[in-house]
Amino acid sequence: MIKVGVVGATGYTGIELSRLLIGHPRVSLTNVYSKQHVGKPFHTLYPHLKNHTNLTLENFNIHQKFDLDVLFLALPHTSSHVFMATLIDNNPTLKIIDLSADFRFKNAQAFETAYKEIHQSPATLPAFTYGCPEIYGNDIKSSSYVANPGCYALSSLLGLYPLAKENCIKSAIIDAKSGVS
């Protein structure tokens, strides 16, 4: 079993990720972290998980050594870059999958242009693999750090990549929409 933790487990992305991980046959969700709900049983916030987990929400501490195989960061954009270098230094064998946009760019200037904020862990950017398995599957398998792509970028990439690979397009306009029901 792969031992997994989720930071930001009580946010929309974190709860959906946790629900999927709980149902995965090769994963053991062993730790869930939340800034606002430390000490509360996870299922008291999400009753649909009552019969599936007895985890208690913990405080996330970047200085601790994690007894995990994989740590998912389900935090808002511009949150994880602030502490990533310290987290990696304290846990050099921990695999990290960041669901925010903080490590999708390979250089700090691109991040700063997009998010109007100075990247606090620029030296770690090249270590992250862009998490599109259809294109970077082999790189993801061997990477310790994965930057999860955004939904608009991923849907655009998956549609355009085969055409671009065959040099069939010179430019494209993407008109994307999203919604929740």
Side-chain angles (χ1 to χ4, degrees), residues 53-165:
T53 182
N54 61 356
L55 293 172
T56 298
L57 291 156
E58 303 173 53
N59 185 48
F60 173 62
N61 179 350
I62 61 169
H63 300 287
Q64 87 181 68
K65 300 242 185 272
F66 292 92
D67 182 25
L68 298 168
D69 299 307
V70 179
L71 182 65
F72 283 91
L73 301 175
L75 298 171
H77 300 319
T78 70
S79 297
S80 62
H81 76 96
V82 176
F83 60 77
M84 188 62 72
T86 302
L87 179 63
I88 289 172
D89 286 347
N90 291 329
N91 295 276
T93 61
L94 180 64
K95 294 195 181 294
I96 299 170
I97 300 174
D98 186 15
L99 303 181
S100 79
D102 291 16
F103 294 89
R104 293 176 185 163
F105 296 110
K106 284 293 184 191
N107 68 68
Q109 184 58 51
F111 173 86
E112 292 165 15
T113 299
Y115 292 98
K116 312 295 184 236
E117 186 169 321
I118 296 172
H119 202 285
Q120 300 298 309
S121 300
T124 63
L125 287 168
F128 276 81
T129 300
Y130 193 70
C132 178
E134 293 82 358
I135 299 172
Y136 302 111
N138 290 331
D139 296 332
I140 292 168
K141 287 178 187 177
S142 62
S143 181
S144 293
Y145 312 114
V146 174
N148 197 61
C151 55
Y152 290 124
L154 185 60
S155 63
S156 301
L157 264 174
L158 292 178
L160 294 174
Y161 182 73
L163 296 170
K165 190 174 175 182

